[in-house]
Amino acid sequence: MEGHELLVKMTRVTAPAGFEQGVWAKLPAARKERARVRRAGYRYAFAGSAALVLVGFLLLNPSLFEKDTVLTYAERDALSAERGPDASRSRFVPVYETMDYASEFRNAQFQPKTVYILEQVSDSVSSEIIY
């Protein structure tokens, strides 16, 4: 191979006296320092992981986003009337369906105009319906 003849002509250099012993003497101290740094790194990684789990729990916890149900005067009156002297009659459960039309208003410019006609479907009126 080319170039090896140049290496043969070069003079060999030896390490200074005591170099090998110095390296072997510093090796245990260097290992202890690397282990100390590694332990500190694990400590920070564990603290960061715990903080990330805590923040994730706080951000993704659905109970934080639930609102308390606030009854109107008519709803409270209807519920207290049912608990009165005729408590043995059949109980009714008021059903509430929240409609959120905000997204439709935001997207109204991209869609054709929509008209919602809300009318009573049944001919009979139930006295248990709260408007």
Side-chain angles (χ1 to χ4, degrees):
M1 293 191 166
E2 295 179 25
H4 286 299
E5 62 273 356
L6 295 176
L7 291 176
V8 174
K9 293 178 184 176
M10 296 181 84
T11 57
R12 293 204 174 253
V13 178
T14 59
F19 177 77
E20 184 178 357
Q21 288 79 17
V23 169
W24 282 108
K26 292 179 184 177
L27 193 60
R31 285 182 179 157
K32 286 181 183 178
E33 178 65 20
R34 277 195 308 262
R36 186 188 65 79
V37 169
R38 192 177 310 126
R39 279 193 307 268
Y42 288 149
R43 200 174 301 138
Y44 286 126
F46 179 71
S49 300
L52 186 64
V53 167
L54 180 65
V55 167
F57 176 75
L58 290 177
L59 289 178
L60 300 176
N61 189 358
S63 66
L64 295 177
F65 300 111
E66 293 177 3
K67 294 182 180 178
D68 292 336
T69 305
V70 178
L71 298 177
T72 63
Y73 177 74
E75 293 167 344
R76 274 187 266 135
D77 188 36
L79 289 174
S80 64
E82 188 204 283
R83 292 186 194 130
D86 290 339
S88 63
R89 68 180 178 165
S90 66
R91 294 182 50 113
F92 70 93
V93 177
V95 177
Y96 301 100
E97 183 176 352
T98 306
M99 301 300 292
D100 182 19
Y101 293 109
S103 63
E104 293 189 28
F105 287 124
R106 275 187 244 117
N107 297 333
Q109 59 189 353
F110 303 115
Q111 298 175 355
K113 297 191 182 229
T114 305
V115 176
Y116 293 96
I117 301 173
L118 303 174
E119 61 180 289
Q120 185 173 345
V121 177
S122 175
D123 291 334
S124 65
V125 178
S126 174
S127 62
E128 295 178 347
I129 297 176
I130 301 172
Y131 291 99

